[in-house]
Amino acid sequence: MRGFLSTVRTAIALGLPNIARVAAYKAGVKSGLSAVRRMRGEVPVGLFFKHLTVAPMSVAPIERWGSESLLFSHWRFPTGEQAPDWHANPITGKRITHPERHWSEIPDFDPDVGDIKLIWELSRMDWVLAFAQRARSGDEQALKRLNLWLEDWCIHNPPYLGPNWKCGQEASIRVMHLAMAALILGQTHVPTQGLRDLVRLHLLRIAPTLQYAMAQDNNHGTSEAAALFIGGSWLASLGDAEGAKWQTSGRHWLENRAAHLIGADGSFSQYSLNYHRVLLDTFCMAEVWRLHWALPAFSADWRRQASSATRWLHHMINPVNGDGPNVGANDGARLLQLTDTAYRDYRPSVQLATHLFEGKSAYVQDGPWNHPLHWLGLEVLGGDVLAQPGTLIADDGGFAMLRYGSTLAMLRYPRFRFRPSQADALHLDLWVHGENLLRDAGSYSYNTEECWQTYFSGTASHNTVQFDDRDQMQRISRFLMGDWLNTTFIEPLRTDAAGAHFSAAYRDSYRASHRRHVNLTQSSLKVVDEVEGFKQKAVLRWRLSPGRWTLERQPDGVSITDGVHLLTVSSNTVIRRGELVPGWESQHYLEKTPITVLEVEVGGAAVLTSTYCWPI
């Protein structure tokens, strides 16, 4: 009965109209009644990009996609002059069986091939941008390679057949990358027939399943809206009557998604640092395209939401290395790769978005974060700089960012207007001088053994308290949790001479409760956790940065040190267990590395006090 009621409550929270849209879409595809099952198209032929007539760029192109590239911006993948196998897992070499099938007949999770994202990764066409950059820099061989690979992709991915047509968002990413490549090469106004046909085929794939994308309330909708706007306006400028219809639809849904999915404080519906970057890069491409064609501006509301989302990401990351908390789902997505910066360096996206939506710079110093501006024909702004990140409460998404000097503590608390993907209530991240001292686990993979899926999205992989060995929310399916938590208490964020302070609390469906008080100073973090209402045990976890940690038992608790940092945990009741245990984290998709975790266990209601000290 508990499970049934949880499912009913979750369905109501998701929104019955969204559920109806998804059900209708799936029924139509399965039955063959959907228009997508009857779609056909001809393989585009001829050149896709012509010989260049624009002046070379002085900015260095990215080095990837020469003799090798990086899958998910991490895994090395050898490349040559010839195009890769578009239907093979590039890590294992295993191929999709019968890729000539209609995309709707191909399963989401093929047990032979594994994660379909590994098939899709090469077809996101990051290489289109890289080859366009090299061609614009005067490398004629890169232009030949660009056309060769596009021709090969079209031959082996005939319209609407095979895995690479399965997802409307994947098709949308290709449209956006093709458009940005055309802009870099100065070939937007008079594109080749082959390029026009390729873009049109993609818009024909995206449009019929748009309602399904919108029902997801995530970046599927924003990506597909942006592709329709960009591709539709492109075709409309070339006299394609259907292009104007797609342009209008894309603009409408871009406005709609910004209003619906972005909170007034800039929080995005997916509660994820990396998906937030995907959102911003998508909006940036739409705005760059609009400016390039001098199209009517998006509404003031849209621009305000884009600006809020920009400031959210600016607050979340540190300017030292561009990294930030590994919060929320992270599938390795990274759009608009125009620099060789690391995957976890978010500064290029922040700088571009700040330029477009704030009319300022996020970083006054010159650096690779300015390269996208140059490649997209935007002028690097001068001295008008966005204020340095400070404290911020993004209550729409449940993020408290406490800053004190060079330290940052980010606390997650449950404000779920949209479906959560991680059981991370009251997780706390700690950063000092750009170093992540207390950290989140990440996602690892969406298609892996159940034990790893449960671990990386579960409560045990976060810096919070776990009750009775269960997750904070019941898992209903691979991407859906039930019994969404609600915050029951907040003490507003304040900063004074004693530090930055914030508190929040929740009570779960089993009546167990957790209240967390945070105090951050220049040299220490103090966290007080009040827990009660559980049956057998509560386990507090602190996920530590790499180091040689040693533990010492104290009369009322435990202390650990790596010789530089000191973390002590005490309790007003008996601590049944305090030990260092092995754990895991994933900084990149499909990567997991061991870390050390401090676990402190109590058997009844308790007040646990953790103090982390570091040298100034």
Side-chain angles (χ1 to χ4, degrees):
M1 178 60 72
R2 175 184 288 273
F4 173 75
L5 293 176
S6 174
T7 301
V8 170
R9 288 192 296 266
T10 304
I12 294 171
L14 288 170
L16 297 180
N18 282 345
I19 293 175
R21 291 188 189 101
V22 171
Y25 161 80
K26 290 185 175 181
V29 171
K30 186 175 182 179
S31 67
L33 296 176
S34 172
V36 300
R37 294 291 297 270
R38 300 186 295 275
M39 291 172 57
R40 300 292 184 270
E42 298 295 325
V43 174
V45 296
L47 285 179
F48 295 91
F49 290 98
K50 302 171 290 187
H51 181 75
L52 269 65
T53 59
V54 291
M57 288 283 290
S58 59
V59 183
I62 66 173
E63 295 181 1
R64 296 170 198 162
W65 299 105
S67 60
E68 69 174 14
S69 188
L70 299 175
L71 300 170
F72 306 112
S73 299
H74 178 70
W75 298 101
R76 294 191 179 278
F77 172 70
T79 57
E81 289 300 315
Q82 299 303 312
D85 186 340
W86 307 109
H87 300 144
N89 181 321
I91 292 179
T92 67
K94 293 183 177 180
R95 302 187 82 250
I96 286 279
T97 55
H98 303 296
E100 71 279 1
R101 289 174 291 172
H102 189 270
W103 64 259
S104 61
E105 299 172 1
I106 296 174
D108 291 336
F109 303 102
D110 189 321
D112 294 327
V113 176
D115 195 337
I116 198 171
K117 284 179 58 58
L118 279 159
I119 305 295
W120 290 345
E121 180 70 2
L122 295 176
S123 290
R124 287 192 162 188
M125 295 189 177
D126 299 328
W127 45 269
V128 167
L129 296 171
F131 295 165
Q133 284 182 309
R134 290 203 184 96
R136 182 66 189 273
S137 300
D139 184 350
E140 293 186 4
Q141 202 60 34
L143 185 63
K144 293 179 181 178
R145 197 177 180 195
L146 173 55
N147 281 309
L148 175 68
W149 282 34
L150 282 171
E151 179 184 22
D152 190 83
W153 191 91
C154 291
I155 291 171
H156 290 94
N157 295 277
Y160 321 126
L161 303 180
N164 290 314
W165 288 104
K166 185 170 181 60
C167 177
Q169 184 180 36
E170 298 300 314
S172 299
I173 292 171
R174 289 194 288 274
V175 170
M176 291 186 280
H177 282 163
L178 287 167
M180 295 302 107
L183 192 154
I184 289 170
L185 295 174
Q187 297 184 21
T188 55
H189 287 75
V190 189
T192 65
Q193 188 62 47
L195 184 56
R196 292 173 60 172
D197 291 345
L198 183 57
V199 170
R200 195 173 202 282
L201 285 168
H202 277 74
L203 299 188
L204 284 167
R205 163 63 186 89
I206 297 164
T209 57
L210 189 63
Q211 289 300 316
Y212 173 76
M214 298 307 160
Q216 305 305 308
D217 276 344
N218 61 16
N219 58 36
H220 282 250
T222 55
S223 298
E224 295 182 34
L228 287 175
F229 172 75
I230 291 170
S233 60
W234 198 359
L235 296 181
S237 73
L238 302 171
D240 188 322
E242 205 163 10
K245 179 185 70 175
W246 288 326
Q247 176 186 355
T248 299
S249 175
R251 178 185 287 269
H252 165 77
W253 284 110
L254 273 173
E255 299 269 6
N256 176 280
R257 295 296 84 184
H260 181 57
L261 302 181
I262 303 173
D265 53 40
S267 300
F268 179 49
S269 65
Q270 290 184 272
Y271 315 115
S272 157
L273 193 74
N274 201 60
Y275 282 153
H276 200 101
R277 174 167 64 180
V278 170
L279 165 80
L280 273 186
D281 286 344
T282 301
F283 277 21
C284 284
M285 284 188 276
E287 179 66 1
V288 165
W289 192 256
R290 186 197 68 77
L291 291 170
H292 176 72
W293 286 95
L295 298 171
F298 292 110
S299 69
D301 287 343
W302 185 87
R303 187 177 183 87
R304 181 167 54 252
Q305 296 297 86
S307 176
S308 295
T310 299
R311 290 194 299 273
W312 185 97
L313 189 58
H314 181 246
H315 273 87
M316 187 69 80
I317 70 167
N318 71 78
V320 177
N321 54 20
D323 202 354
N326 195 15
V327 63
N330 183 353
D331 69 349
R334 187 183 183 192
L335 309 187
L336 197 59
Q337 295 184 42
L338 298 174
T339 75
D340 277 315
T341 49
Y343 171 74
R344 297 201 58 83
D345 186 347
Y346 289 74
R347 287 173 295 183
S349 295
V350 173
Q351 185 78 324
L352 178 59
T354 301
H355 174 102
L356 291 170
F357 305 129
E358 295 281 342
K360 300 178 180 180
S361 294
Y363 313 106
V364 67
Q365 301 88 355
D366 193 21
W369 43 85
N370 283 328
H371 289 183
L373 296 170
H374 294 297
W375 284 111
L376 298 174
L378 302 173
E379 180 183 356
V380 177
L381 299 175
D384 200 0
V385 182
L386 201 62
Q388 287 297 302
T391 58
L392 176 70
I393 292 294
D395 192 64
D396 284 323
F399 296 92
M401 303 174 211
L402 288 69
R403 288 187 183 271
Y404 205 86
S406 58
T407 65
L408 164 68
M410 188 281 297
L411 183 71
R412 283 285 288 125
Y413 60 97
R415 290 288 200 219
F416 297 130
R417 284 201 304 129
F418 304 94
R419 55 177 170 168
S421 62
Q422 304 250 320
D424 61 354
L426 301 189
H427 164 82
L428 188 139
D429 244 60
L430 174 64
W431 294 72
V432 177
H433 301 301
E435 182 182 359
N436 193 188
L437 300 183
L438 297 174
R439 47 224 285 151
D440 205 334
S443 298
Y444 178 51
S445 173
Y446 291 167
N447 185 14
T448 184
E449 296 92 338
E450 184 177 351
C451 63
W452 292 118
Q453 286 185 329
T454 301
Y455 175 80
F456 278 96
S457 63
T459 305
S461 69
H462 298 94
N463 295 321
T464 187
V465 176
Q466 183 178 25
F467 298 123
D468 297 325
D469 290 328
R470 55 180 167 77
D471 282 333
Q472 296 164 335
M473 295 173 283
Q474 177 183 344
R475 185 174 301 280
I476 295 176
S477 65
R478 185 186 298 264
F479 297 117
L480 184 62
M481 293 182 178
D483 294 325
W484 298 0
L485 299 174
N486 291 305
T487 295
T488 57
F489 167 82
I490 280 184
E491 181 180 320
L493 190 154
R494 73 182 194 279
T495 302
D496 54 33
H501 319 268
F502 182 76
S503 303
Y506 76 86
R507 184 185 300 275
D508 69 16
S509 63
Y510 289 82
R511 309 303 294 168
S513 67
H514 180 192
R515 178 175 293 200
R516 172 161 278 186
H517 310 265
V518 181
N519 180 51
L520 178 70
T521 73
Q522 183 69 18
S523 60
S524 68
L525 170 74
K526 182 179 180 180
V527 180
V528 178
D529 292 303
E530 302 174 29
V531 294
E532 62 181 2
F534 51 95
K535 292 182 179 179
Q536 297 177 341
K537 63 179 178 178
V539 178
L540 168 67
R541 291 184 179 88
W542 293 117
R543 304 170 53 80
L544 308 166
S545 60
R548 294 180 176 274
W549 293 92
T550 59
L551 180 144
E552 182 178 338
R553 301 190 183 279
Q554 307 290 342
D556 62 344
V558 297
S559 67
I560 62 170
T561 183
D562 64 352
V564 178
H565 305 108
L566 175 65
L567 172 58
T568 63
V569 181
S570 60
S571 173
N572 69 338
T573 188
V574 175
I575 291 180
R576 297 202 309 201
R577 179 174 63 90
E579 61 180 334
L580 295 172
V581 301
W584 296 89
E585 72 174 356
S586 177
Q587 292 283 311
H588 304 87
Y589 195 65
L590 297 179
E591 172 207 42
K592 63 179 186 292
T593 54
I595 64 165
T596 300
V597 181
L598 173 63
E599 291 188 350
V600 176
E601 178 183 323
V602 293
V607 178
L608 296 160
T609 302
S610 304
T611 305
Y612 194 128
C613 300
W614 56 87
I616 298 179

